[in-house]
Amino acid sequence: MKAAEVRHILDTIGELFPDAHCELNHSNAFELTIAVLLSAQCTDATVNKVTEDLFQKYKTPLDYVSVPIEELESDIRRIGLYRNKAKHIQSLCSILIEQYGGEVPQAHDLLVTLPGVGRKTANVVVSNAFGVPAIAVDTHVERVAKRLALAGWKDSVLEVEKKLMKAVPRDEWTLTHHRLIFFGRYHCKAQNPKCQVCPLLDVCREGKKRMKTAVIRKAKNHT
C-alpha cells in the first residue's frame, strides 16, 4: 500500500477518534500490567469493574502474594479464566519482588518473560506506562488492519504488527494503536460494522464486499 493511502486511512480514523486512549483504568505501570493481564479474552469494561475494588485492596506485588490463591481467585472471579490469571498474577508478583525490587521492568524483552505477559501485553505496558512507541495487536487492531488491507488476511498477529510498524510513522505507533482499537470497537465491529456510513468505504475491501452483498440481497427481496 502506498504511503499516501496509509496517510489517508490514519488521518480519517484520527478524525473519527481524536481522543482515543487506553480504556483500562490504572494509575501506574504495575496496575496497568495487572489490568492488561486480566483483559485477555475479556472486555475492558469488565476488567475495570473488577479492578475498581482489586486496586483498592492490592497496592503492591507483596499484597498479591500475601493472600491465599483462593482469595485472589475470588476477587477476580468475574473475569474469564480467573484461576489461570490468579496463578499468573502471583507468579509475576513473586518475580517482581525477587528480581526487580517490586517494580515492573521497562524493557520489552524482560516484560515478555513474566508469567501471563505476552507480546501484546508488553507492548501496551511499554507504550502507555513508559512512553516507548509500540503497536499492540489485539482482535480489533488485527480485524481493522486486515479489512483495510494494511495486512494480509492470513497474516499472523506478529506479521500484522510488523506491517503496521513499517507503514505507520514510529512517533504515531502508540496513538495509532489506540485509534485502531476505538475504530474496531465502536465503528468497524466484528459483527454489523457501520459500512454504510464509513468514510473509509472507498478503500475497504471488506466494506465493499459487504455493501455489494447487501445490495444483491435487497434486490432479491424485491423480486
Side-chain angles (χ1 to χ4, degrees):
M1 183 177 287
K2 295 178 182 176
E5 294 173 317
V6 175
R7 188 73 263 163
H8 169 61
I9 289 172
L10 298 181
D11 289 346
T12 303
I13 293 177
E15 288 170 9
L16 284 173
F17 300 103
D19 302 317
H21 59 278
C22 177
E23 292 194 297
L24 288 169
N25 295 334
H26 64 281
S27 59
N28 54 53
F30 176 58
E31 288 186 353
L32 178 60
T33 304
I34 298 297
V36 182
L37 188 156
L38 290 173
S39 72
Q41 297 182 43
C42 185
T43 66
D44 287 0
T46 299
V47 173
N48 286 337
K49 288 176 184 174
V50 171
T51 57
E52 186 175 358
D53 294 326
L54 195 72
F55 292 163
Q56 290 295 317
K57 180 176 179 179
Y58 303 93
K59 301 287 188 183
T60 68
L62 186 60
D63 293 335
Y64 284 98
V65 298
S66 298
V67 299
I69 187 73
E70 294 80 12
E71 184 174 342
L72 181 54
E73 286 178 357
S74 178
D75 290 333
I76 64 171
R77 188 176 293 273
R78 285 179 288 171
I79 299 279
L81 308 174
Y82 70 91
R83 285 196 176 90
N84 272 341
K85 290 176 182 178
K87 287 178 189 173
H88 286 323
I89 288 172
Q90 286 201 331
S91 299
L92 178 150
C93 288
S94 293
I95 292 173
L96 293 185
I97 293 166
E98 293 164 10
Q99 298 182 25
Y100 302 106
E103 299 293 328
V104 174
Q106 296 189 23
H108 191 280
D109 59 344
L110 295 179
L111 280 167
V112 294
T113 65
L114 298 173
V117 177
R119 185 174 181 84
K120 185 197 82 170
T121 299
N123 281 346
V124 172
V125 173
V126 297
S127 60
N128 289 280
F130 303 126
V132 178
I135 297 178
V137 179
D138 69 352
T139 54
H140 299 298
V141 174
E142 181 181 6
R143 179 174 67 255
V144 170
K146 289 181 175 181
R147 285 179 175 177
L148 291 173
L150 292 167
W153 287 120
K154 295 182 179 179
D155 283 350
S156 67
V157 170
L158 182 57
E159 287 170 332
V160 172
E161 181 186 333
K162 287 181 177 179
K163 286 185 177 179
L164 287 174
M165 288 168 66
K166 188 175 180 181
V168 178
R170 189 173 188 273
D171 62 349
E172 295 180 41
W173 284 357
T174 300
L175 183 58
T176 296
H177 154 72
H178 292 311
R179 287 177 172 173
L180 289 175
I181 287 177
F182 268 54
F183 186 70
R185 183 175 287 159
Y186 303 113
H187 184 88
C188 190
K189 302 176 183 180
Q191 304 296 328
N192 302 316
K194 301 177 182 178
C195 300
Q196 67 276 13
V197 294
C198 185
L200 288 173
L201 182 60
D202 61 323
V203 295
C204 180
R205 52 187 177 180
E206 174 72 11
K208 288 175 182 176
K209 179 182 168 186
R210 283 175 176 267
M211 293 304 289
K212 186 176 181 181
T213 302
V215 169
I216 293 171
R217 190 180 297 123
K218 192 174 181 180
K220 283 183 178 179
N221 290 336
H222 283 287
T223 57

